[in-house]
Amino acid sequence: MNNRKIDKLDLEILNILQADGKVSNAEIARKVGKAPSAVLERVRKLKKSGIIEGYECIVSHKSLGRGLTAFTSIRVEEGVGATEVGQKLAEFPEVLEVHYTAGRDSYLVKVRVEDTEALQATLAKFGTIGPVRDTNSTIVLTTVKESRVIPLPLEND
């Protein structure tokens, strides 16, 4: 758990980086009105404390032939709090997200594949994991919003 106190400058830096992860340190410094060395030190501390977890390149899934997105609820027979099945689900390359959930089903999994045949094959692979008892998939028709940006206030309240 992170105990680092986040101030207004940290929030400004985080908002800038979330909007453009490739922005230069000098550009961040210009936008926040601080020296590049001070901004660099802030970013290093945000990384070290785990507030900044990393940077990634967002690739168009459709341009790579992965046009079908599905969310699959998975019911398993494993002890409460056990996530071994989730670890196995996460190993499949077509699985983008695995969430251990409360309720009737144990996991909610986001899958990106080529088509319904590929989804069927993926679900069959899920079925080879011993404790998996049932799956229920919802196919996405249109994605209205998809983001990993965490809304941050401009001021720390």
Side-chain angles (χ1 to χ4, degrees):
M1 186 173 257
N2 177 20
N3 293 326
R4 186 177 188 283
K5 182 165 173 44
I6 297 181
D7 63 15
K8 184 177 187 261
L9 179 57
D10 290 333
L11 291 172
E12 288 179 52
I13 292 169
L14 290 169
N15 275 317
I16 292 166
L17 284 170
Q18 284 193 116
D20 179 6
K22 287 183 61 177
V23 66
S24 71
N25 186 61
E27 180 64 15
I28 297 170
R30 187 188 66 71
K31 288 182 176 183
V32 299
K34 299 289 182 187
S37 59
V39 169
L40 182 60
E41 184 60 27
R42 288 286 185 129
V43 171
R44 284 185 182 150
K45 287 179 180 178
L46 290 166
K47 287 179 186 176
K48 186 176 179 182
S49 67
I51 294 168
I52 295 177
E53 294 180 344
Y55 303 91
E56 54 188 26
C57 174
I58 301 168
V59 177
S60 167
H61 59 92
K62 289 180 183 177
S63 68
L64 296 177
R66 299 285 177 100
L68 189 138
T69 303
F71 290 91
T72 301
S73 298
I74 302 173
R75 188 179 308 167
V76 301
E77 287 183 10
E78 66 182 349
V80 174
T83 59
E84 288 82 10
V85 171
Q87 297 301 320
K88 290 179 182 176
L89 292 166
E91 293 175 7
F92 295 112
E94 60 270 40
V95 171
L96 301 182
E97 299 176 14
V98 178
H99 304 277
Y100 181 66
T101 61
R104 186 184 76 124
D105 298 319
S106 301
Y107 295 96
L108 179 63
V109 176
K110 181 178 180 179
V111 176
R112 255 212 190 110
V113 292
E114 295 81 4
D115 51 31
T116 55
E117 290 81 16
L119 177 60
Q120 183 178 4
T122 298
L123 296 176
K125 289 191 280 186
F126 291 171
T128 66
I129 301 172
V132 171
R133 295 294 169 251
D134 187 34
T135 64
N136 183 15
S137 294
T138 300
I139 294 175
V140 174
L141 299 177
T142 301
T143 298
V144 177
K145 178 181 179 180
E146 185 172 48
S147 175
R148 291 194 58 181
V149 173
I150 305 297
L152 299 172
L154 293 178
E155 294 184 19
N156 196 10
D157 295 323

